[in-house]
PDB file of all heavy atoms in Angstrom:
ATOM      1  N   LEU P  23       9.976  -4.735  12.382  1.00 97.00           N
ATOM      2  CA  LEU P  23       9.935  -4.066  13.595  1.00 97.00           C
ATOM      3  C   LEU P  23       9.126  -2.704  13.544  1.00 97.00           C
ATOM      4  O   LEU P  23       8.404  -2.370  14.485  1.00 97.00           O
ATOM      5  CB  LEU P  23      11.413  -3.685  14.050  1.00 97.00           C
ATOM      6  CG  LEU P  23      12.256  -4.861  14.579  1.00 97.00           C
ATOM      7  CD1 LEU P  23      13.689  -4.483  14.915  1.00 97.00           C
ATOM      8  CD2 LEU P  23      11.593  -5.474  15.813  1.00 97.00           C
ATOM      9  N   GLU P  24       9.216  -2.083  12.447  1.00 98.00           N
ATOM     10  CA  GLU P  24       8.404  -0.819  12.231  1.00 98.00           C
ATOM     11  C   GLU P  24       6.915  -1.240  12.183  1.00 98.00           C
ATOM     12  O   GLU P  24       6.072  -0.518  12.727  1.00 98.00           O
ATOM     13  CB  GLU P  24       8.839  -0.074  10.934  1.00 98.00           C
ATOM     14  CG  GLU P  24      10.237   0.532  10.962  1.00 98.00           C
ATOM     15  CD  GLU P  24      10.731   1.038   9.686  1.00 98.00           C
ATOM     16  OE1 GLU P  24      10.442   0.383   8.568  1.00 98.00           O
ATOM     17  OE2 GLU P  24      11.356   2.078   9.685  1.00 98.00           O
ATOM     18  N   ALA P  25       6.564  -2.266  11.467  1.00 98.00           N
ATOM     19  CA  ALA P  25       5.188  -2.737  11.403  1.00 98.00           C
ATOM     20  C   ALA P  25       4.735  -3.081  12.858  1.00 98.00           C
ATOM     21  O   ALA P  25       3.556  -2.723  13.233  1.00 98.00           O
ATOM     22  CB  ALA P  25       5.043  -3.919  10.472  1.00 98.00           C
ATOM     23  N   ALA P  26       5.556  -3.765  13.609  1.00 97.00           N
ATOM     24  CA  ALA P  26       5.169  -4.172  14.964  1.00 97.00           C
ATOM     25  C   ALA P  26       4.985  -2.817  15.848  1.00 97.00           C
ATOM     26  O   ALA P  26       4.086  -2.819  16.648  1.00 97.00           O
ATOM     27  CB  ALA P  26       6.220  -5.054  15.557  1.00 97.00           C
ATOM     28  N   ALA P  27       5.865  -1.890  15.562  1.00 97.00           N
ATOM     29  CA  ALA P  27       5.702  -0.653  16.362  1.00 97.00           C
ATOM     30  C   ALA P  27       4.407   0.098  16.085  1.00 97.00           C
ATOM     31  O   ALA P  27       3.776   0.640  16.955  1.00 97.00           O
ATOM     32  CB  ALA P  27       6.928   0.308  16.060  1.00 97.00           C
ATOM     33  N   ILE P  28       3.982   0.038  14.780  1.00 98.00           N
ATOM     34  CA  ILE P  28       2.714   0.660  14.410  1.00 98.00           C
ATOM     35  C   ILE P  28       1.591  -0.131  15.125  1.00 98.00           C
ATOM     36  O   ILE P  28       0.641   0.489  15.660  1.00 98.00           O
ATOM     37  CB  ILE P  28       2.526   0.597  12.846  1.00 98.00           C
ATOM     38  CG1 ILE P  28       3.530   1.569  12.205  1.00 98.00           C
ATOM     39  CG2 ILE P  28       1.093   0.883  12.395  1.00 98.00           C
ATOM     40  CD1 ILE P  28       3.572   1.474  10.688  1.00 98.00           C
ATOM     41  N   GLU P  29       1.595  -1.441  15.062  1.00 98.00           N
ATOM     42  CA  GLU P  29       0.617  -2.231  15.778  1.00 98.00           C
ATOM     43  C   GLU P  29       0.458  -1.920  17.184  1.00 98.00           C
ATOM     44  O   GLU P  29      -0.554  -1.670  17.704  1.00 98.00           O
ATOM     45  CB  GLU P  29       0.870  -3.734  15.627  1.00 98.00           C
ATOM     46  CG  GLU P  29       0.736  -4.336  14.285  1.00 98.00           C
ATOM     47  CD  GLU P  29       1.147  -5.743  14.177  1.00 98.00           C
ATOM     48  OE1 GLU P  29       2.088  -6.206  14.923  1.00 98.00           O
ATOM     49  OE2 GLU P  29       0.628  -6.521  13.320  1.00 98.00           O
ATOM     50  N   GLU P  30       1.632  -1.818  17.915  1.00 97.00           N
ATOM     51  CA  GLU P  30       1.682  -1.404  19.299  1.00 97.00           C
ATOM     52  C   GLU P  30       1.178   0.013  19.561  1.00 97.00           C
ATOM     53  O   GLU P  30       0.302   0.213  20.430  1.00 97.00           O
ATOM     54  CB  GLU P  30       3.083  -1.565  19.814  1.00 97.00           C
ATOM     55  CG  GLU P  30       3.175  -1.244  21.298  1.00 97.00           C
ATOM     56  CD  GLU P  30       4.590  -1.513  21.776  1.00 97.00           C
ATOM     57  OE1 GLU P  30       5.354  -2.345  21.259  1.00 97.00           O
ATOM     58  OE2 GLU P  30       5.033  -0.780  22.676  1.00 97.00           O
ATOM     59  N   ALA P  31       1.621   0.912  18.683  1.00 97.00           N
ATOM     60  CA  ALA P  31       1.152   2.350  18.804  1.00 97.00           C
ATOM     61  C   ALA P  31      -0.347   2.527  18.687  1.00 97.00           C
ATOM     62  O   ALA P  31      -0.944   3.378  19.283  1.00 97.00           O
ATOM     63  CB  ALA P  31       1.908   3.245  17.829  1.00 97.00           C
ATOM     64  N   MET P  32      -0.981   1.602  17.881  1.00 96.00           N
ATOM     65  CA  MET P  32      -2.409   1.624  17.681  1.00 96.00           C
ATOM     66  C   MET P  32      -3.132   0.682  18.555  1.00 96.00           C
ATOM     67  O   MET P  32      -4.213   0.128  18.254  1.00 96.00           O
ATOM     68  CB  MET P  32      -2.667   1.274  16.174  1.00 96.00           C
ATOM     69  CG  MET P  32      -2.216   2.418  15.235  1.00 96.00           C
ATOM     70  SD  MET P  32      -2.575   2.104  13.537  1.00 96.00           S
ATOM     71  CE  MET P  32      -4.407   1.987  13.582  1.00 96.00           C
ATOM     72  N   ASP P  33      -2.599   0.441  19.752  1.00 96.00           N
ATOM     73  CA  ASP P  33      -3.196  -0.313  20.790  1.00 96.00           C
ATOM     74  C   ASP P  33      -3.326  -1.819  20.406  1.00 96.00           C
ATOM     75  O   ASP P  33      -4.359  -2.426  20.529  1.00 96.00           O
ATOM     76  CB  ASP P  33      -4.595   0.116  21.239  1.00 96.00           C
ATOM     77  CG  ASP P  33      -4.448   1.524  21.864  1.00 96.00           C
ATOM     78  OD1 ASP P  33      -3.437   1.733  22.642  1.00 96.00           O
ATOM     79  OD2 ASP P  33      -5.326   2.432  21.718  1.00 96.00           O
ATOM     80  N   ASP P  34      -2.247  -2.383  19.868  1.00 96.00           N
ATOM     81  CA  ASP P  34      -2.088  -3.782  19.475  1.00 96.00           C
ATOM     82  C   ASP P  34      -3.115  -4.233  18.414  1.00 96.00           C
ATOM     83  O   ASP P  34      -3.607  -5.361  18.374  1.00 96.00           O
ATOM     84  CB  ASP P  34      -2.241  -4.684  20.686  1.00 96.00           C
ATOM     85  CG  ASP P  34      -1.041  -4.460  21.584  1.00 96.00           C
ATOM     86  OD1 ASP P  34       0.126  -4.264  21.083  1.00 96.00           O
ATOM     87  OD2 ASP P  34      -1.210  -4.449  22.780  1.00 96.00           O
ATOM     88  N   VAL P  35      -3.403  -3.322  17.441  1.00 96.00           N
ATOM     89  CA  VAL P  35      -4.241  -3.672  16.324  1.00 96.00           C
ATOM     90  C   VAL P  35      -3.425  -4.571  15.382  1.00 96.00           C
ATOM     91  O   VAL P  35      -2.295  -4.142  15.044  1.00 96.00           O
ATOM     92  CB  VAL P  35      -4.741  -2.382  15.588  1.00 96.00           C
ATOM     93  CG1 VAL P  35      -5.425  -2.725  14.290  1.00 96.00           C
ATOM     94  CG2 VAL P  35      -5.616  -1.572  16.495  1.00 96.00           C
TER      95      VAL P  35
END
Side-chain angles (χ1 to χ4, degrees):
L23 289 175
E24 288 170 325
I28 290 170
E29 290 175 330
E30 185 178 324
M32 291 183 61
D33 295 324
D34 295 320
V35 172

